[in-house]
Amino acid sequence: MASKLVQLQSKACQATKFVRTHGSAYYKQMLENNKKYVQEPATIEKCNELSKQLFYTRLASIPGRTELFWKEVGSVKQLWKNRQDLKVEDAGIAALFGLECFAWFCAGEIAGRGFTFTGYHV
């Protein structure tokens, strides 16, 4: 166990050195490549305006996303009506999708309990 801790420390030191030597150049390059998104001057008023624009843009997109959701529900209903025509591959994909949703639910529950399986902290 101690050797793994030493290995982890060594890798953390290597990562720190890499970031120290290359981080500044990466930061400058990233800002240069994306300077069209930077608001000058960066005032509190402008930041508040941009956050309101983002909020209301997201809010305005809800009806479109709701419409797409109900369209998907309609296609699933249609698929269910014609389930006798369903191929094995389609049923397998649906089963895998359901299993993946259940697995993500279980993972979320475990994370919500603080990564414990019983819910009790030791």
Side-chain angles (χ1 to χ4, degrees):
M1 183 71 169
S3 66
K4 291 193 181 223
L5 184 60
V6 171
Q7 285 178 337
L8 184 63
Q9 273 183 322
S10 172
K11 290 194 186 258
C13 286
Q14 289 174 352
T16 303
K17 287 178 186 175
F18 181 81
V19 169
R20 191 178 328 130
T21 56
H22 297 94
S24 179
Y26 174 75
Y27 175 77
K28 288 176 183 175
Q29 180 187 6
M30 182 182 63
L31 280 180
E32 183 63 33
N33 291 342
N34 296 296
K35 66 181 174 183
K36 64 183 174 187
Y37 302 113
V38 176
Q39 182 64 46
E40 290 294 336
T43 62
I44 292 174
E45 293 82 15
K46 192 61 178 176
C47 289
N48 286 336
E49 180 186 345
L50 289 172
S51 73
K52 283 182 182 179
Q53 284 179 347
L54 176 64
F55 175 75
Y56 287 109
T57 301
R58 296 277 186 175
L59 201 60
S61 72
I62 289 175
R65 289 188 279 155
T66 304
E67 182 182 330
L68 287 172
F69 170 76
W70 287 114
K71 194 182 284 187
E72 286 289 325
V73 168
S75 68
V76 169
K77 284 182 181 178
Q78 189 63 30
L79 210 75
W80 186 253
K81 283 181 185 176
N82 301 327
R83 63 183 175 268
Q84 64 273 9
D85 300 334
L86 199 63
K87 293 183 270 182
V88 175
E89 293 87 11
D90 296 333
I93 289 171
L96 283 174
F97 177 74
L99 185 64
E100 182 182 6
C101 288
F102 180 72
W104 278 111
F105 170 78
C106 290
E109 285 290 312
I110 291 169
R113 287 193 301 258
F115 296 98
T116 60
F117 290 102
T118 60
Y120 297 107
H121 295 281
V122 178

